[in-house]
Every structure is written in C-alpha cells, then in structure tokens.
Amino acid sequence: MFDRDISAVGASAPTVAELYAQTQGQAKEMFEAKWQDNREAHPHAIERWPHIDSLARQFDAVPAIIIGTGPSVVASLPKVAECRAQAITVACPSAVKYAVAAGFVPTFTMFVEGTHVAPLVQAFPSTTNVVLDYKAHDSYYELPAMHRFVFGHMGDKVAEKARDLCARRTLLPPCPSTLGACFSLAALMGCNPIVFVGADFSFEGDAMH
C-alpha cells in the first residue's frame, strides 16, 4: 500500500513534534518571502475586515463538521447535508465543490494557501463565509462571500507583523494543515462536538491528505 521506508520506526524515530518542526522550518525557508509579499498586498483588509476574534464563543455547544479532502469525503457528504441545519460546517477549499455537489454550501471555508490554485476559485459559492490567513494569496481575498474574516498563526513572523498593524488579536495555534486550522477555528467558536469527515490521512496518487 505504501512505497515508503518504515524501517526507522521505533525508539530512534523522530517524534511528531520534531517532524512538525522540521516541516515548518522547510516551509518557512521556501515560502516566507512569498507569505510576506502576500501580507503586504492586502494591509487594508487585514486592518479593517473582521478578525476571528469576533467569532469567539459565537457557536457554544453547536456541533461542527470539519470537511477535509480525503477520498472518503464524497461518500460522507450526503449525511452531512442531512444534518446541516443542526450543525455548522467548516471546509477546506478543495472540499467546497464536493459539498456543493451534495446540495449545500459550507458555513465557513478556510484559506491558508499562499499560492494561487485556480480550481479553488472557479465557480466559488458567494454564500459561504471565507476565513483567510494573513498570508493567503491575493486571489482568495477577492472571492465573493457573505462575510470575510482574517487570522494568523502563533509563532508566524508574518502574522506577528500583521497583528502589529492593529489592536492585539488572537492567533490560532500552529497548524500543519488547513484541516488543523479548521479545527482550531471550530474550537475558538466554542463548537461541541467537533466531527471530521474526509480526514483519511491517506495517500491517493501523489496527493497527501
């Protein structure tokens, strides 16, 4: 199933924290200049648009369904559609098209991508609420939406600089993926329980979920 060397698994294998730190370090080395450019391209939005602070505890004890992009998501969404009146939904951008095909639009869509990905913005529904990382690409800041909110991550130099532009704001914990950011947002909003669909953490071709 996996063409990966797992011989290192054991006492000498790196911890999850070590692997995360290594991955984050590599990402910052590759993309930090681009992230900074992205932030500087939309300072007015960062200063004036509502921050995720305004969502804190706004959905206390309301169920949240986090929609990932794993292979199982398509089969799961009809059930999500059935219960969407009793729960809010928070989706990764590439899962939105599957939700729309299942007959509903996610309550929130989370964007952390620092580069433009054309399929994510094609025929994007204007009735979702867009949540944008400070360092997300400009094209996502221009998407139609019911409401827009901005946020940054703890320990992110780009986010810390953006936060200095205005009143001190809450930053989400460091997240290794969009799915993690969706979870952090649901927790901030007070959602309970929080349920995941399409979070397979599996490999499909060259894509990692």
Side-chain angles (χ1 to χ4, degrees):
M1 182 176 179
F2 300 104
D3 58 349
R4 295 168 184 256
D5 181 7
I6 60 171
S7 60
V9 174
S12 61
T15 65
V16 171
E18 290 169 340
L19 287 172
Y20 175 70
Q22 179 182 354
T23 302
Q24 287 295 95
Q26 291 171 345
K28 286 182 178 180
E29 184 177 341
M30 294 174 64
F31 300 116
E32 191 156 17
K34 175 61 178 173
W35 292 341
Q36 183 68 23
D37 289 344
N38 288 348
R39 184 194 67 77
E40 293 176 351
H42 37 69
H44 296 298
I46 291 173
E47 291 181 47
R48 299 176 185 176
W49 287 4
H51 192 265
I52 56 168
D53 284 354
S54 62
L55 295 172
R57 314 303 303 185
Q58 293 301 304
F59 294 90
D60 268 343
V62 175
I65 303 172
I66 309 299
I67 305 174
T69 55
S72 71
V73 70
V74 175
S76 303
L77 288 179
K79 282 290 186 184
V80 176
E82 291 176 8
C83 61
R84 68 184 184 278
Q86 291 79 41
I88 66 164
T89 48
V90 186
C92 298
S94 53
V96 171
K97 60 184 178 184
Y98 302 120
V100 171
F104 71 97
V105 173
T107 316
F108 296 95
T109 302
M110 174 76 74
F111 282 91
V112 303
E113 289 82 359
T115 56
H116 176 71
V117 182
L120 298 185
V121 300
Q122 293 170 353
F124 192 81
S126 61
T127 51
T128 186
N129 297 288
V130 172
V131 185
L132 297 139
D133 194 317
Y134 292 153
K135 58 181 181 287
H137 192 269
D138 289 353
S139 58
Y140 309 134
Y141 271 77
E142 297 170 0
L143 287 170
M146 286 188 67
H147 301 285
R148 298 177 179 86
F149 302 89
V150 293
F151 76 97
H153 286 117
M154 297 174 186
D156 184 336
K157 292 180 181 178
V158 172
E160 295 288 355
K161 289 180 181 178
R163 188 166 60 169
D164 290 342
L165 293 174
C166 45
R168 191 162 182 82
R169 293 169 165 177
T170 300
L171 297 178
L172 292 183
C175 300
S177 66
T178 306
L179 198 69
C182 290
F183 172 78
S184 294
L185 176 65
L188 176 75
M189 294 190 295
C191 296
N192 185 29
I194 300 173
V195 179
F196 289 84
V197 298
D200 301 60
F201 302 105
S202 60
F203 298 91
E204 183 180 27
D206 292 328
M208 294 178 64
H209 304 279

